[in-house]
Amino acid sequence: MNALPQNLADPSAHTLPGREPLIGKSMEELRELVKSMDEPAFRAEQLHHWLYVHCVRSLDDMSNLKRAFRDKLAERYQVGSLVIDQKEVSQDGTTKYLFRLPDGKVVESVLMYFEERGTYAICLSTQVGCAVNCDFCATGKLGFMRNLSVAEIVEQYVYVQADSGKEIRNIVFMGQGEPMLNYDNLMQSIHILNKSAEVGIRHITISTSGIVPRIYDLAEANLQLTLAISLHAPDNATREAIMPLNKKWPLEELMPALHHYAGATGKRLTIEYILLAGVNDQPSHAHDLGKLLQGLKCNINLIPYNPIGDGYGYKRPSNNAIHRFKDALLPYGKKVTVRVERGVDIAAACGQLANKVQQA
Ligand code: SAH
Ligand code: SF4
C-alpha cells in the first residue's frame, strides 16, 4: 500500500468491550470459527445465512442451531454490537439511524428510497468524525475520533435492513468519515457486503475527498464499483480555501490519479461538486471545471450546499445560479446532474451528519 502522511495515517485501533460480534465475519472466517469449536462444517453456512440473509439480531433467533452450540457460541460471541439510539423519519421518507457503538460513541446511517427506480439505498459511515476537516462539512467540524471496525461498518447495513424490512440494493460510502482513511476495513467490508450480503459490486459507491495514494491502491484492486471524487473546485486556490487537504494533494497530483484510475479500471468516475454561493458557483468556475475534466471519463454531480448551522459563512446558491452553472458546463460534453437533497429537515443530507447526541 502507498504510504500516507503521519497525521492522516493513525488507524486508532480499538478494542470492543463485551463479546466479539459475528457480523463482519466472512464465510471463510466463519468456517474457521466453526472448525475451532469442533462443529461440523455445515454450521458455518447456517450461521452465515442467519447473519446475512435473515439478518437476525440474536443467537436465540437462529432456530435451526442446536441449543448446545448456541450456548457455546454465546460464551464468546454475539450477533452484533450496535444499538439503535434514535431513528428519525424525514418528510420525504428518508430515515436517519443513530447507532450507539460499544464504547459509547455514536454514528449515523441514512436509508433512502429512490422512487424512479423503486429501490432503497443506504449511506454508511466509516469513521466517527473525520480528520479531513472540509470547511463546509458538519462531520469535519467534529474532528476525528476513531475508525469503525469491519463489524461496525457491515452491521449498519445488516441492522437497517432488518429494522426496515426493506431490501437495500445500493450502498454509498458517503456518511461520516473519509472512507479511504480507513482503507483496510473499508475493503474488507465491501468484500463481505458483496459476497455475503450479496449487494452487487456495481451498486456500491465510495466517495472520497481525494486521498491520492489510496486512489492508486483502489485502481490496483480493480473493483467494478463507482468511485466518486469530492472535487468541489476547479483550481488550487479555491479548493485549498475550502478543503485543507488540497495542500497535501493539490490538483496536479489528484488529476493524474483520476486519469490513472479511469484508465486502469475502465470505469467512469463521478465528480462531486458542492455549490457554495459566491465561492465556487460562478460560470467562470464552470468553464474552468469543464476544461479541467476534458479527457477524463466522468459524470458530474452538482451538490447544492446543505446548511450545517449558523456561523459557517456558507450559503446555498439560488436555483437560478445552480442552473446557470449547470448550463455553462454542458458544452463540455459531460453528463451533469444536480443532487436532490434528502432528509434536510432531520439533518440527514450530505454533510449534515454530526452526532447531535455525541455533542451534547
Ligand atoms: N468523506 C467523503 C464522503 C462523505 S461526504 C467525501 O468527502 O467525499 C459525501 C459528500 O457530501 C461529499 O462530496 C462532501 O463533500 C459533501 N458535503 C459535505 N458537506 C456538505 C454540505 N454541507 N452540503 C452539501 N454537501 C456536502
Ligand atoms: Fe470528511 Fe468528507 Fe466531511 Fe470532508 S466532506 S470533512 S472528507 S466527511
Side-chain angles (χ1 to χ4, degrees):
M1 233 194 321
N2 294 295
L4 287 178
Q6 204 55 45
N7 63 333
L8 293 177
D10 173 20
S12 72
H14 64 283
T15 46
L16 297 172
R19 284 159 294 173
E20 203 184 322
L22 289 171
I23 288 179
K25 292 196 184 296
S26 63
M27 187 56 150
E28 301 79 52
E29 288 168 324
L30 290 174
R31 284 207 184 99
E32 281 302 309
L33 183 155
V34 160
K35 202 166 143 201
S36 73
M37 293 173 80
D38 292 326
E39 288 287 333
F42 69 86
R43 294 271 179 239
E45 265 95 82
Q46 289 178 320
L47 264 178
H48 189 263
H49 208 73
W50 284 116
L51 292 172
Y52 298 114
V53 179
H54 293 308
C55 300
V56 294
R57 297 297 314 152
S58 148
L59 291 172
D60 289 332
D61 295 334
M62 300 183 173
S63 51
N64 67 350
L65 298 189
K66 60 180 182 169
R67 180 89 245 166
F69 178 46
R70 270 187 272 156
D71 289 346
K72 210 153 64 159
L73 270 175
E75 285 168 17
R76 281 192 53 198
Y77 301 100
Q78 58 192 42
V79 168
S81 58
L82 305 192
V83 176
I84 296 179
D85 197 290
Q86 271 182 28
K87 198 163 92 175
E88 283 180 274
V89 183
S90 155
Q91 284 163 2
D92 64 21
T94 299
T95 308
K96 181 167 81 170
Y97 286 82
L98 186 89
F99 287 112
R100 191 157 293 279
L101 306 171
D103 60 359
K105 296 198 163 42
V106 292
V107 86
E108 292 153 308
S109 320
V110 182
L111 175 67
M112 298 163 286
Y113 180 59
F114 289 88
E115 269 158 7
E116 51 299 357
R117 286 177 266 147
T119 55
Y120 285 88
I122 189 167
C123 176
L124 298 183
S125 293
T126 51
Q127 299 183 312
V128 187
C130 183
V132 179
N133 197 19
C134 303
D135 204 34
F136 44 77
C137 173
T139 310
K141 301 289 171 206
L142 290 173
F144 174 68
M145 280 166 244
R146 73 164 167 88
N147 280 332
L148 296 186
S149 65
V150 176
E152 289 165 337
I153 296 171
V154 174
E155 193 179 352
Q156 294 171 59
Y157 172 87
V158 177
Y159 205 157
V160 172
Q161 178 138 280
D163 183 75
S164 64
K166 310 294 183 201
E167 192 191 348
I168 306 172
R169 301 262 303 278
N170 294 280
I171 294 176
V172 293
F173 286 97
M174 293 190 185
Q176 277 192 25
E178 170 45 61
M180 302 285 244
L181 289 177
N182 189 9
Y183 189 77
D184 291 343
N185 290 351
L186 172 72
M187 287 297 107
Q188 178 65 3
S189 302
I190 289 174
H191 175 78
I192 291 166
L193 290 164
N194 177 229
K195 299 285 183 234
S196 295
E198 298 189 358
V199 179
I201 194 79
R202 290 171 192 277
H203 293 187
I204 297 178
T205 298
I206 300 174
S207 176
T208 179
S209 52
I211 311 296
V212 166
R214 293 293 165 267
I215 295 172
Y216 286 102
D217 289 336
L218 194 66
E220 204 168 310
N222 198 7
L223 302 175
Q224 289 299 298
L225 45 70
T226 299
L227 181 61
I229 303 291
S230 296
L231 191 63
H232 299 336
D235 61 84
N236 280 327
T238 312
R239 195 164 193 261
E240 202 172 300
I242 55 177
M243 299 177 77
L245 109 159
N246 194 72
K247 285 194 200 86
K248 194 87 59 195
W249 293 295
L251 293 176
E252 49 282 16
E253 289 200 35
L254 179 58
M255 295 313 295
L258 301 188
H259 282 276
H260 172 81
Y261 186 87
T265 62
K267 289 286 289 177
R268 190 175 298 279
L269 290 154
T270 298
I271 298 295
E272 298 170 285
Y273 192 100
I274 191 171
L275 285 168
L276 305 164
V279 175
N280 64 354
D281 67 337
Q282 297 304 302
S284 62
H285 295 115
H287 289 296
D288 289 347
L289 181 63
K291 285 179 211 145
L292 182 70
L293 297 178
Q294 255 161 16
L296 183 68
K297 204 171 144 193
C298 64
N299 298 325
I300 303 171
N301 192 215
L302 303 176
I303 319 176
Y305 171 68
N306 296 310
I308 61 165
D310 300 334
Y312 292 114
Y314 294 112
K315 285 203 175 60
R316 186 187 183 89
S318 67
N319 284 344
N320 272 349
I322 294 169
H323 286 111
R324 201 175 52 209
F325 191 92
K326 184 179 172 183
D327 290 346
L329 262 180
L330 290 178
Y332 296 89
K334 309 284 191 227
K335 184 174 160 204
V336 185
T337 48
V338 179
R339 190 173 294 179
V340 179
E341 75 271 26
R342 286 167 189 277
V344 177
D345 53 328
I346 55 165
C350 289
Q352 293 187 318
L353 302 181
N355 306 338
K356 293 228 168 56
V357 172
Q358 198 146 261
Q359 286 174 313

